[in-house]
Amino acid sequence: MKQIFLLLFTFFCSLFFTQSKIDSLRLLNYEELKNKFNVYDESNKKLEAKAISRYYLSKAKKEKNILETAEGYNLIHLTEDFPLALKYVDSMALITKNVKGDIYPARTFIIKGNLYYKYDNLKAALDNYILGLEYSKRQKNVKQIAYANMNIAYLNSYMGNNKEAAKTFRYYLLNSQNITDEYQHDQMRVSLAYCYIKINKIDSARFFIQEGLHSPFVKKNKYNMNQYLYLSGQLNLKIKNYQTAIAELTKAYNYFSSINDNNQNFVLYSLGKCYEELHNKQETIKYFTQIDAHVKETEVTFPELGDVYNFLIDYYREIGDKEKQLYYIDRFLKVDKKLDDQFRYLSTELHKKYDTPNLLQEKEDIINELKNKKTFLYASVSILILILLMFIYFYYKTNKAEKRHRKIAQDLIHLIEKRNLETIENKNDQQIKTDEPVKVESESKTIKTVPEDVAQSILKDLDTFENKRHFLKNGITLTSLAKNIKTNTAYLSEIINTHKDKNFTTYLNDLRIDYVLDQLVKDKKFRSYKLPVIAEEIGYNNVQAFSIAFKKRTGTTPSIYIKEIEKSISS
């Protein structure tokens, strides 16, 4: 009931507004109606802006004015969500398809490109900008050539090509007479300042930010003023003036979030980076989780999201929150796929379509492509054959390596089983190494720097360390072991190097791997564990470290070793 009441209330408010304003709107010409629309649109008064755009379209249709009807569709599309907005732009294209002059269809493609850009379909945005640029060049419309070039520069900036984008923005900022209006001129300044921050031209960025903040046009426009606050915050973040940056970014966020503008995500990211630099993880997490919520709702992405999700994943990994860690991994994979898809497309198509000097050159490229079709076909077949041969080669090498690993595993199992059947007086003097699994430790060597009584004491403690399997504990370091046996790291390191013929890390890994080799053969239950559990049982933090140590020690892998044990038992 509440929802129905709300819908009815909104409908009657809209109806009341339309009826109460209809007489005053009739007194306005098209230019005045457009100016009034812009005032309401920039003030985020969507209801009023929509009413004016509908009146504008109705007036143009009644007067059978094709160009103003097209402009009516343009104004209406700015007030609607994507599906309906796209239909209005298509209607604009349809009504102007036979219009003579130098405006259409170029203008329609540029407007459609802006719509796709707004809703984060950058591939479609680029395609429409390119078409708009091509038609503008054909029609020699300097203003629309400028619009298309500037919009493509936005995509270049998105791709991280800020140096190239800055050249375009600076050119049109300094040569905007009769090309851009006051709003577009200001947006060039905003974009140029942003690019300068990204390429570390701090003084230039500061100059244009201050120029913008003192501009009469910006002072009377809240949206533009907050754009400069955001840029100033980014600049202060760049120069590590974090408290000033936070104050400016917070003001900008309060505004952009109040009108539900996409800029709020960029501000949140900068706020999060400020607190990350200040080592305040809780505040960083707060802002980054807000970004994720907005991105999930709007599906509008931006390149820095990789940093956001990596931070969230690392944070929840550190605190052991597996559920949230898994959630943000899943979110990252989804967002990264979209970003990667757009980046790959833009990086190819920007070069291919936009960097081509002119349409004649493109035409020549197409002709050459057709002439070389056979060569291309032969080259493609050759590449495919080469790929196939490489695949066969790698398959052969992989298969050969697997056979070698199995043979090593079988030899290890055989030697361990043989050893377990024999009676050995001192098990601590036997170890297993890569090429010869059983090794008798070398005789004690003379140590010059460690006193004899200290050396004997350390060796005795190491015997205890090995016999009682203390090496299976997690987090053992040279320092912690030295502390436990009440000696210093220098003495302990020298004793291990001299008596064990290896450094501490190798010594510890060898003990663990020798133990697990034997245990896997003897203990069926231990053998049934997953590799991460086995790794944890013998003191490793993760399965990767365990696998690397195992491979280095034996020349085979844990999984192959276990499989070969099972085969030997079953046979």
Side-chain angles (χ1 to χ4, degrees):
M1 287 299 292
K2 286 182 179 179
Q3 290 179 338
I4 295 172
F5 177 77
L6 184 61
L7 288 170
L8 290 172
F9 178 75
T10 304
F11 171 76
F12 284 116
C13 283
S14 176
L15 185 64
F16 174 76
F17 173 81
T18 305
Q19 292 298 325
S20 63
K21 296 293 182 180
I22 196 71
D23 292 332
S24 61
L25 293 179
R26 283 174 180 165
L27 300 174
L28 304 178
N29 60 33
Y30 289 113
E31 190 64 29
E32 290 168 337
L33 284 169
K34 195 184 297 183
N35 290 337
K36 202 171 186 67
F37 171 87
N38 288 334
V39 170
Y40 283 128
D41 188 54
E42 290 167 10
S43 303
N44 204 38
K45 296 180 178 179
K46 298 298 183 184
L47 188 64
E48 293 87 339
K50 184 179 288 190
I52 292 172
S53 64
R54 290 188 179 280
Y55 177 78
Y56 191 112
L57 180 61
S58 175
K59 173 182 170 69
K61 283 184 174 181
K62 191 178 294 184
E63 295 175 2
K64 297 182 179 180
N65 187 326
I66 292 176
L67 290 177
E68 295 301 345
T69 299
E71 189 59 27
Y73 284 129
N74 176 41
L75 295 180
I76 287 179
H77 105 274
L78 295 171
T79 67
E80 300 290 352
D81 291 330
F82 179 76
L84 197 53
L86 186 60
K87 288 182 180 179
Y88 282 122
V89 176
D90 288 336
S91 296
M92 184 182 179
L94 185 63
I95 200 171
T96 58
K97 67 178 182 179
N98 296 319
V99 170
K100 304 297 181 182
D102 65 347
I103 298 176
Y104 295 99
R107 185 167 186 260
T108 307
F109 285 119
I110 293 171
I111 289 171
K112 187 178 284 189
N114 290 339
L115 180 62
Y116 280 118
Y117 185 94
K118 179 182 178 182
Y119 286 94
D120 202 36
N121 188 339
L122 303 188
K123 295 193 292 185
L126 176 62
D127 290 342
N128 280 279
Y129 289 150
I130 294 295
L131 287 170
L133 180 61
E134 290 175 358
Y135 279 106
S136 297
K137 286 180 176 179
R138 288 182 196 175
Q139 297 165 326
K140 298 179 181 179
N141 187 319
V142 177
K143 183 181 286 189
Q144 293 198 142
I145 289 172
Y147 291 162
N149 279 324
M150 287 186 288
N151 285 322
I152 291 171
Y154 287 126
L155 291 176
N156 251 322
S157 179
Y158 177 92
M159 289 286 294
N161 302 326
N162 288 292
K163 192 172 182 179
E164 289 300 314
K167 291 178 183 177
T168 302
F169 294 138
R170 183 175 177 79
Y171 174 82
Y172 286 113
L173 184 66
L174 301 177
N175 301 277
S176 60
Q177 298 86 353
N178 303 317
I179 294 178
T180 60
D181 59 25
E182 197 170 15
Y183 173 79
Q184 290 161 333
H185 177 86
D186 184 69
Q187 289 306 294
M188 290 301 99
R189 182 165 51 207
V190 167
S191 302
L192 183 57
Y194 175 84
C195 289
Y196 279 153
I197 292 170
K198 290 296 183 182
I199 61 178
N200 291 316
K201 287 194 173 184
I202 302 302
D203 291 338
S204 298
R206 184 181 287 111
F207 171 82
F208 285 110
I209 291 170
Q210 291 303 315
E211 185 183 75
L213 288 170
H214 292 94
S215 163
F217 172 79
V218 173
K219 285 182 178 180
K220 64 182 180 182
N221 189 305
K222 285 185 179 180
Y223 190 92
N224 297 65
M225 178 63 74
N226 281 280
Q227 280 185 312
Y228 284 104
L229 275 176
Y230 161 63
L231 289 173
S232 184
Q234 270 211 323
L235 181 64
N236 279 301
L237 168 59
K238 194 83 171 180
I239 62 176
K240 301 182 179 181
N241 192 355
Y242 300 122
Q243 295 304 328
T244 302
I246 289 170
E248 292 174 329
L249 291 167
T250 301
K251 288 180 183 178
Y253 174 71
N254 289 338
Y255 174 76
F256 289 125
S257 61
S258 71
I259 63 171
N260 200 27
D261 185 85
N262 284 335
N263 276 321
Q264 65 182 306
N265 281 347
F266 303 129
V267 183
L268 284 171
Y269 174 74
S270 296
L271 278 166
K273 294 302 287 184
C274 285
Y275 283 108
E276 184 181 358
E277 292 297 329
L278 292 169
H279 306 292
N280 188 334
K281 288 189 177 182
Q282 293 304 317
E283 284 298 305
T284 306
I285 289 295
K286 183 180 81 172
Y287 289 114
F288 282 1
T289 50
Q290 282 182 262
I291 292 173
D292 173 63
H294 293 158
V295 170
K296 190 173 183 181
E297 180 182 353
T298 63
E299 295 185 350
V300 176
T301 60
F302 57 97
E304 291 82 359
L305 279 174
D307 288 344
V308 172
Y309 285 112
N310 279 325
F311 187 94
L312 291 169
I313 291 165
D314 289 342
Y315 174 79
Y316 287 111
R317 182 189 294 118
E318 285 177 12
I319 66 172
D321 191 333
K322 300 293 185 184
E323 288 185 2
K324 286 190 176 179
Q325 183 186 346
L326 183 61
Y327 169 80
Y328 286 115
I329 289 173
D330 183 57
R331 291 286 301 133
F332 172 74
L333 292 174
K334 289 178 181 177
V335 168
D336 187 62
K337 186 179 183 301
K338 182 177 180 181
L339 287 171
D340 185 59
D341 185 40
Q342 295 199 136
F343 263 77
R344 280 190 287 106
Y345 184 86
L346 290 178
S347 62
T348 303
E349 297 304 308
L350 270 169
H351 175 75
K352 180 180 175 182
K353 296 181 178 179
Y354 184 63
D355 294 340
T356 303
N358 50 51
L359 291 172
L360 290 175
Q361 183 62 50
E362 187 175 352
K363 181 180 179 181
E364 187 178 336
D365 291 340
I366 294 170
I367 292 171
N368 290 333
E369 184 182 346
L370 292 173
K371 285 181 179 180
N372 296 320
K373 190 174 181 180
K374 285 186 178 180
T375 305
F376 175 77
L377 179 63
Y378 293 149
S380 299
V381 171
S382 299
I383 291 170
L384 287 173
I385 291 172
L386 181 62
I387 292 171
L388 180 61
L389 289 173
M390 288 177 66
F391 175 79
I392 293 170
Y393 172 73
F394 284 121
Y395 175 78
Y396 168 76
K397 285 207 71 175
T398 303
N399 193 45
K400 187 177 180 181
E402 188 176 346
K403 286 180 179 178
R404 187 174 70 252
H405 291 162
R406 288 203 303 268
K407 179 67 170 59
I408 292 169
Q410 290 163 6
D411 290 344
L412 282 170
I413 295 163
H414 175 73
L415 287 170
I416 289 168
E417 287 175 342
K418 183 179 178 182
R419 186 192 67 184
N420 289 338
L421 292 172
E422 295 173 354
T423 301
I424 301 174
E425 292 182 0
N426 188 355
K427 291 183 180 181
N428 292 323
D429 289 335
Q430 291 188 350
Q431 292 184 346
I432 297 172
K433 68 178 184 178
T434 304
D435 54 349
E436 186 180 344
V438 179
K439 175 190 172 183
V440 179
E441 185 176 303
S442 61
E443 294 180 358
S444 298
K445 299 180 181 178
T446 304
I447 304 170
K448 296 180 180 179
T449 60
V450 183
E452 182 62 27
D453 59 333
V454 175
Q456 291 304 318
S457 176
I458 293 173
L459 286 169
K460 184 178 179 182
D461 287 330
L462 286 178
D463 286 341
T464 303
F465 176 71
E466 294 173 13
N467 292 334
K468 293 190 176 181
R469 296 173 182 170
H470 292 163
F471 54 81
L472 298 179
K473 293 180 181 178
N474 188 281
I476 297 171
T477 64
L478 182 66
T479 304
S480 67
L481 181 55
K483 185 177 179 181
N484 285 340
I485 65 176
K486 296 180 175 58
T487 188
N488 60 56
T489 56
Y491 283 179
L492 178 59
S493 179
E494 185 169 344
I495 290 293
I496 292 173
N497 275 275
T498 305
H499 284 264
K500 307 297 181 181
D501 289 330
K502 60 191 77 172
N503 60 33
F504 174 76
T505 302
T506 304
Y507 169 66
L508 182 62
N509 282 329
D510 287 355
L511 286 173
R512 288 171 172 175
I513 300 306
D514 291 345
Y515 169 80
V516 83
L517 286 169
D518 189 59
Q519 195 67 11
L520 285 170
V521 170
K522 293 193 300 186
D523 192 337
K524 181 179 180 181
K525 183 179 179 182
F526 187 78
R527 196 164 57 244
S528 68
Y529 293 162
K530 299 290 184 184
L531 288 182
V533 178
I534 294 173
E536 187 178 350
E537 285 287 316
I538 63 171
Y540 288 100
N541 290 324
N542 54 69
V543 72
Q544 289 82 8
F546 165 55
S547 296
I548 291 169
F550 193 98
K551 180 75 179 293
K552 184 179 179 181
R553 179 71 170 150
T554 66
T556 187
T557 65
S559 55
I560 289 176
Y561 183 70
I562 293 170
K563 284 180 182 177
E564 291 304 316
I565 294 171
E566 296 294 343
K567 283 183 183 178
S568 67
I569 292 171
S570 61
S571 62

